[in-house]
Amino acid sequence: MEKWYVAAKKADFEKWAAEFGISPVIARILRNRDLTESGGIRKFLYGTLEDCYSPWLLKDMDRAVELLLKAVEEKTAIRVIGDYDVDGICSSYILTKGLQMLGAKVDTAIPHRIHDGYGLNDHLIEEAKKDSIGMILTCDNGIAAAPQIELANAYGIQVIVTDHHEVPFSKNVDEQGRESRKELLPPALAVIDPKREDCTYPFPNICGGVVAYKLIQAIAERLGSRKVSAAEKEDPESLNRNASGNRESGSLRLNEALEELLELAALATVCDVMELKDENRIIVKEGLKRLKNTRNPGIKALMEVNGIEPEKLSAYHLGFVLGPCLNATGRLDTAKRALELLQSEAKTDAMSAARELKELNDSRKYLTLQGVEQAEEYIRQHHMDGDKVMLIFLPDVHESLAGIIAGRIREKYNHPVFILTRGEEGVKGSGRSIESYHMYEAMTAAKQYFTKFGGHKLAAGLSMKEEDIEPLRKLLNEQAALGEEDFIPKVHIDVPMPLVYADRKLAEELELLEPFGVGNPKPLFAQKELTFRSGFKMGANKTCARFRVITPEGEERQLVFFGDLDKFGAFLNQKFGAGSENALYAGRGSFPVSAVYQLGLNTYKGKTELQYVMQHYC
């Protein structure tokens, strides 16, 4: 069951339409994206990289840049330590490539999901000591690794943290019963994380890849501000004969590399499910432009093996095609293979690696389907319908699939979900949440049951003991302040609009709002009382359909539906009587149904047509 809501946010839509050369419909949609001021609207519609925030606004950026430049000049061995998901892989690539452009002595380590787990661990620190590493630079991790950073400090290894996850905190209660929070920052020489309370960065909801990109950007800016001496101007070759010259030359190379690194920051932003608002939207928009003409052999190859035409590349392809292929290596093998793909220089090597990644992802899809079926069976057997927070233990499921399975179950039941699996050292798991449940804060309130945990509002990872599963399930449910309303999926309609008004001109104008994604969903429109006359199932497996409908004005339109056809058929039979589904596909339908739809343009075999896509019905 769903609840439909029509957005009713107020603004002078006619004024906005005149000011920005858009239709009042587009103006309404912009207001629904929480835009209220002309400056914000202009940035949303026409923002460029110059509208993004300065990297120097990030706390500790100054310190990190100076430490890194000193390490480069002194030939200190630097190790970038990332994570095994797309954000971590892209972050690792960005930092490693950027430092290589400076001539740094740098290598990369990405934890193995099974053997190492998330982020820094003692083993990685011991390996760094063994390899005579003088500096560790983390990306997409490190904010919760205080013990490991203390160990590195004891070994004389400098540590710089770049991360974007929530900062761990402790809760304190004074004598009057007032509760306060204290951040627990790791003891690194510099900690760059926009989630820090003392960080004044204007938009903290950036991913690890963007934090890494900002660090390389800051280094390029710092080097670019250095004055070239008169002697160096007379003898440009001298730039390559001394340390400072190498830095200047490195600055030029860095500025060129930033174009490519922006592509990886955009990919990381989409795949880490960041909201496409503010500068995230600009980074993804500009990154997509560059990705369509990328010079990275690995990304080119990955697009080719997946049949993606570069000029048609969209945020959808990043999040649901390319990203899962990169993620699959970290799930079923080692994420180093994904990093090697991005670092490929020869097309033959890139194509070979891309094919392997696609095969791994195909295998991951099959294993995920099996895992979802097992989770459904667990819910039935354990009578979990009454649980506010679902804690599902699937000991035989590959631990790397827990997050994907949790997401699928969350989508179906609209409850916070944890999928737990049996790992090499106890239980590991991943959680996916709903908007009204802050998962990381809930876990912090139950931290006694975790040996390790981290995350943010809507997603988290954990390690724990098997005997603590049931006590944790009980505590999370007792503490969850969730009511029945929180579990009802909400459909937010941008504009109630008859199909006859949703024309090609509007469909073309909607492209101004791209890229679409979390925080900037594709607009939803609604039409009451469409009469469904006939239907035709399409696709190799007949899993989608095209319906012929008659509008209240008496005009005929075609609605495409990519959702659950069995569920839609059951809806028809229940509402209009047994046999209604068969009657519709036989062309004998006369069923009034209200629909929520999306509007777009579909190009097939060189022909572009207006397309209405049904998303919800009642």
Side-chain angles (χ1 to χ4, degrees):
M1 181 182 175
E2 302 167 338
K3 274 198 172 183
W4 294 8
Y5 297 87
V6 176
K9 296 178 180 179
K10 304 296 184 182
D12 191 339
F13 302 121
E14 296 294 339
K15 178 184 175 184
W16 287 7
E19 183 176 354
F20 297 103
I22 56 178
S23 69
V25 171
I26 297 296
R28 284 180 179 273
I29 294 168
L30 291 173
R31 181 64 188 89
N32 293 342
R33 303 297 177 266
D34 294 323
L35 294 167
T36 58
E37 304 294 335
S38 292
I41 296 169
R42 184 172 287 106
K43 185 175 180 179
F44 185 96
L45 292 174
Y46 309 114
T48 67
L49 289 176
E50 293 181 356
D51 294 299
C52 291
Y53 303 111
S54 167
W56 303 104
L57 296 175
L58 286 161
K59 183 73 174 177
D60 277 5
M61 182 61 79
D62 263 348
R63 179 79 173 138
V65 168
E66 290 305 318
L67 287 166
L68 282 167
L69 288 177
K70 183 179 178 184
V72 171
E73 286 195 1
E74 295 177 352
K75 299 298 180 182
T76 301
I78 303 171
R79 175 160 293 170
V80 173
I81 299 183
D83 188 25
Y84 40 68
D85 67 358
V86 177
D87 192 18
I89 294 164
C90 291
S91 304
S92 299
Y93 179 86
I94 289 168
L95 292 179
T96 304
K97 179 74 176 280
L99 292 173
Q100 285 173 341
M101 292 291 98
L102 292 177
K105 184 180 179 182
V106 59
D107 66 12
T108 317
I110 296 181
H112 191 285
R113 182 186 288 265
I114 307 299
H115 305 311
D116 294 316
Y118 167 75
L120 286 178
N121 58 46
D122 291 355
H123 167 69
L124 290 171
I125 304 300
E126 297 290 351
E127 284 290 311
K129 181 192 176 204
K130 175 184 171 185
D131 296 338
S132 301
I133 296 298
M135 175 179 283
I136 288 174
L137 175 59
T138 78
C139 51
D140 194 33
N141 76 89
I143 197 66
Q148 289 71 35
I149 294 173
E150 286 176 357
L151 179 61
N153 291 340
Y155 289 150
I157 302 173
Q158 301 178 75
V159 181
I160 296 173
V161 170
T162 76
D163 203 347
H164 74 117
H165 292 98
E166 300 281 353
V167 181
F169 62 88
S170 61
K171 285 188 177 182
N172 303 304
V173 181
D174 63 19
E175 294 178 354
Q176 284 74 41
R178 291 172 300 194
E179 191 176 89
S180 62
R181 288 167 44 148
K182 180 183 179 182
E183 281 193 335
L184 304 174
L185 290 172
L189 293 175
V191 179
I192 303 175
D193 188 327
K195 298 288 198 323
R196 287 180 60 167
E197 287 181 354
D198 58 354
C199 182
T200 57
Y201 197 74
F203 186 69
N205 299 317
I206 53 178
C207 69
V210 171
V211 175
Y213 176 82
K214 296 280 182 179
L215 176 55
I216 300 302
Q217 181 187 8
I219 292 174
E221 289 182 9
R222 176 61 54 84
L223 295 179
S225 66
R226 175 187 171 273
K227 300 295 184 183
V228 181
S229 69
E232 288 171 335
K233 287 180 180 178
E234 292 179 6
D235 181 14
E237 287 300 313
S238 67
L239 290 174
N240 296 318
R241 294 199 297 267
N242 57 68
S244 62
N246 283 336
R247 286 172 60 169
E248 184 71 24
S249 177
S251 173
L252 297 175
R253 293 195 299 271
L254 265 187
N255 282 320
E256 293 176 1
L258 282 172
E259 287 289 304
E260 180 202 351
L261 301 185
L262 181 67
E263 299 172 6
L264 279 300
L267 177 61
T269 297
V270 174
C271 293
D272 219 44
V273 202
M274 297 292 103
E275 288 193 328
L276 297 190
K277 295 180 177 180
D278 208 292
E279 72 172 345
N280 278 348
R281 171 177 163 74
I282 295 173
I283 288 168
V284 173
K285 187 176 181 179
E286 294 295 324
L288 277 169
K289 289 179 184 176
R290 290 156 178 78
L291 280 164
K292 290 176 181 179
N293 299 288
T294 185
R295 290 186 291 177
N296 184 295
I299 296 177
K300 277 185 176 180
L302 201 56
M303 283 195 280
E304 186 172 334
V305 300
N306 281 286
I308 298 172
E309 298 177 41
E311 64 275 11
K312 295 182 180 178
L313 186 72
S314 68
Y316 169 84
H317 295 112
L318 302 188
F320 294 96
V321 183
L322 301 183
C325 287
L326 294 172
N327 254 335
T329 61
R331 296 186 187 283
L332 302 182
D333 190 13
T334 168
K336 291 179 182 177
R337 293 174 69 177
L339 182 63
E340 289 167 359
L341 170 78
L342 297 179
Q343 294 174 332
S344 298
E345 296 182 359
K347 181 177 179 180
T348 52
D349 294 338
M351 288 299 295
S352 176
R355 290 190 188 99
E356 288 183 9
L357 265 61
K358 186 177 184 302
E359 289 173 4
L360 275 172
N361 191 45
D362 290 340
S363 175
R364 188 272 310 163
K365 290 178 183 176
Y366 175 71
L367 292 173
T368 298
L369 184 62
Q370 287 186 316
V372 170
E373 291 174 352
Q374 291 179 40
E376 296 272 19
E377 182 61 27
Y378 186 96
I379 291 169
R380 286 191 292 270
Q381 288 183 357
H382 291 79
H383 309 289
M384 298 183 70
D385 294 344
D387 283 21
K388 295 178 179 179
V389 180
M390 292 182 166
L391 211 67
I392 301 170
F393 183 41
L394 306 176
D396 299 325
V397 165
H398 197 287
E399 66 184 64
S400 67
L401 303 176
I404 301 177
I405 297 169
R408 299 281 177 85
I409 298 299
R410 186 271 318 275
E411 287 173 10
K412 180 170 182 178
Y413 291 91
N414 206 48
H415 280 242
V417 176
F418 289 93
I419 297 294
L420 308 178
T421 67
R422 187 175 286 138
E424 289 188 350
E425 298 179 2
V427 169
K428 288 188 176 180
S430 290
R432 297 294 182 268
S433 195
I434 58 178
E435 190 60 37
S436 52
Y437 185 77
H438 198 301
M439 184 161 275
Y440 181 77
E441 290 189 357
M443 294 174 72
T444 299
K447 62 183 179 182
Q448 67 268 29
Y449 290 118
F450 303 114
T451 55
K452 193 175 182 181
F453 75 99
H456 46 80
K457 180 178 180 179
L458 296 177
L462 62 94
S463 299
M464 64 182 298
K465 297 176 182 178
E466 189 169 330
E467 59 265 29
D468 287 334
I469 292 176
E470 184 56 27
L472 175 63
R473 185 198 69 79
K474 184 177 179 181
L475 181 61
L476 288 176
N477 277 279
E478 286 175 352
Q479 294 182 342
L482 295 169
E484 288 303 316
E485 285 288 318
D486 296 310
F487 306 129
I488 300 174
K490 298 174 179 63
V491 178
H492 296 280
I493 298 162
D494 284 288
V495 184
M497 185 166 62
L499 293 182
V500 294
Y501 294 142
D503 56 15
R504 183 165 183 147
K505 180 180 178 182
L506 178 59
E508 291 173 348
E509 194 179 10
L510 286 172
E511 293 178 357
L512 276 174
L513 307 180
E514 294 182 356
F516 298 118
V518 176
N520 181 39
K522 195 166 185 179
L524 289 178
F525 306 102
Q527 165 84 73
K528 289 183 178 180
E529 302 297 308
L530 289 169
T531 302
F532 279 62
R533 292 293 195 191
S534 62
F536 173 72
K537 292 184 178 181
M538 305 181 297
N541 298 315
K542 306 298 181 184
T543 54
C544 54
R546 183 184 299 275
F547 300 111
R548 181 172 66 90
V549 300
I550 306 298
T551 72
E553 296 83 7
E555 295 194 21
E556 181 178 308
R557 292 289 188 274
Q558 301 286 326
L559 270 184
V560 180
F561 183 54
F562 298 103
D564 189 331
L565 286 180
D566 290 337
K567 188 175 179 180
F568 181 61
F571 160 78
L572 292 174
N573 290 333
Q574 182 179 11
K575 186 169 183 177
F576 302 106
S580 295
E581 178 187 16
N582 292 335
L584 179 64
Y585 290 113
R588 295 182 282 102
S590 183
F591 309 121
V593 175
S594 295
V596 173
Y597 67 93
Q598 292 175 340
L599 178 67
L601 296 172
N602 181 52
T603 301
Y604 182 69
K605 293 184 177 180
K607 185 179 180 182
T608 301
E609 294 182 338
L610 190 65
Q611 186 176 68
Y612 307 93
V613 182
M614 183 168 71
Q615 299 294 321
H616 308 275
Y617 51 83
C618 71

